[in-house]
Amino acid sequence: DSGVTQTPKHLITATGQRVTLRCSPRSGDLSVYWYQQSLDQGLQFLIQYYNGEERAKGNILERFSAQQFPDLHSELNLSSLELGDSALYFCASSVEFADTQYFGPGTRLTVL
Amino acid sequence: QQQVKQSPQSLIVQKGGISIINCAYENTAFDYFPWYQQFPGKGPALLIAIRPDVSEKKEGRFTISFNKSAKQFSLHIMDSQPGDSATYFCAARGPNAGNMLTFGGGTRLMVKP
């Protein structure tokens, strides 16, 4: 158990809908990262937050957004969902500037 | 370009054998190279990592070999066990754009008893 929690574990929704994925980092970790894992694209970095502020952006679509709250949990919002958004979404956390990122168990999103 | 290429995509090894997974990168600014192990239904977990100023790092049965001039690094699993059957990802971290990791495509390892 990495200490990173993600909810929900599974999410099934329809095209055009909006969903929110939640992540709680390990105790003491200030950085949160979101990654998308799909069969054809592998593991891709989406966005990073550090202590409430956006730190880095990767291949994140404009339909997706994220935020980190004062209690350091983070939410990833996915809107106008398309079939291709079906994937595993992982959250990871780390101590400031630390090497190791600890991954949560992921949320499996299925868009029908 | 931020890219990490990993091979092979899948690997079958007999119990007790050596599993070898290779990765190549392009960006010489990468400064940290971790390997992650992922079991079905779980998130990736850090296995072992190396920095480019070291040519080899060993932890138990797992060894990373790093060739800075060739921009390549590899994972060796000695005495492979059925419990090692998982998907392995190499990754690289750049000094820019936060602490983001660029992952290789993954290698699905099966160790036959």
Side-chain angles (χ1 to χ4, degrees):
Chain A
D1 185 1
S2 67
V4 178
T5 60
Q6 289 187 248
T7 56
K9 198 167 185 176
H10 301 278
L11 200 48
I12 301 175
T13 188
T15 54
Q17 294 299 304
R18 183 181 191 273
V19 297
T20 298
L21 313 183
R22 182 187 170 105
C23 167
S24 292
R26 294 186 323 148
S27 176
D29 285 358
L30 299 179
S31 269
V32 169
Y33 315 79
W34 286 97
Y35 291 87
Q36 179 192 57
Q37 185 175 36
S38 59
L39 284 174
D40 57 343
Q41 295 289 325
L43 261 166
Q44 293 219 315
F45 169 73
L46 295 178
I47 197 164
Q48 177 198 2
Y49 277 82
Y50 172 74
N51 203 20
E53 297 202 359
E54 182 183 305
R55 174 66 65 87
K57 229 171 183 176
N59 299 318
I60 188 166
L61 299 172
E62 283 192 11
R63 301 183 284 108
F64 296 0
S65 65
Q67 54 184 327
Q68 186 179 26
F69 294 87
D71 67 351
L72 301 177
H73 91 271
S74 177
E75 293 181 356
L76 180 67
N77 300 296
L78 315 176
S79 62
S80 302
L81 285 167
E82 302 175 359
L83 296 177
D85 297 328
S86 295
L88 270 166
Y89 291 84
F90 288 103
C91 167
S93 74
S94 74
V95 178
E96 178 186 4
F97 303 126
D99 294 334
T100 305
Q101 292 182 26
Y102 295 89
F103 281 75
T107 293
R108 181 175 291 279
L109 173 67
T110 302
V111 182
L112 301 175
Chain B
Q1 185 167 347
Q2 305 273 358
Q3 194 172 15
V4 178
K5 293 183 180 177
Q6 183 172 344
S7 63
Q9 283 187 310
S10 62
L11 183 60
I12 300 174
V13 172
Q14 290 293 130
K15 179 183 175 181
I18 303 174
S19 304
I20 301 174
I21 305 171
N22 301 299
C23 283
Y25 62 97
E26 298 174 4
N27 190 340
T28 56
F30 287 140
D31 64 355
Y32 171 71
F33 300 86
W35 285 89
Y36 279 81
Q37 179 188 54
Q38 185 179 25
F39 292 104
K42 303 288 185 183
L46 179 68
L47 190 62
I48 186 173
I50 198 168
R51 293 190 175 277
D53 53 348
V54 176
S55 62
E56 186 175 283
K57 184 174 181 180
K58 184 176 180 179
E59 288 183 3
R61 297 184 294 109
F62 301 92
T63 299
I64 300 178
S65 297
F66 191 87
N67 186 329
K68 189 174 181 178
S69 60
K71 294 188 284 185
Q72 294 175 347
F73 58 111
S74 60
L75 176 69
H76 295 234
I77 306 175
M78 313 299 287
D79 187 26
S80 298
Q81 300 296 312
D84 297 330
S85 298
T87 300
Y88 292 81
F89 293 93
C90 63
R93 186 191 69 184
N96 302 317
N99 205 27
M100 62 171 281
L101 294 173
T102 300
F103 282 88
T107 297
R108 185 172 291 184
L109 171 66
M110 180 187 298
V111 181
K112 288 193 166 183

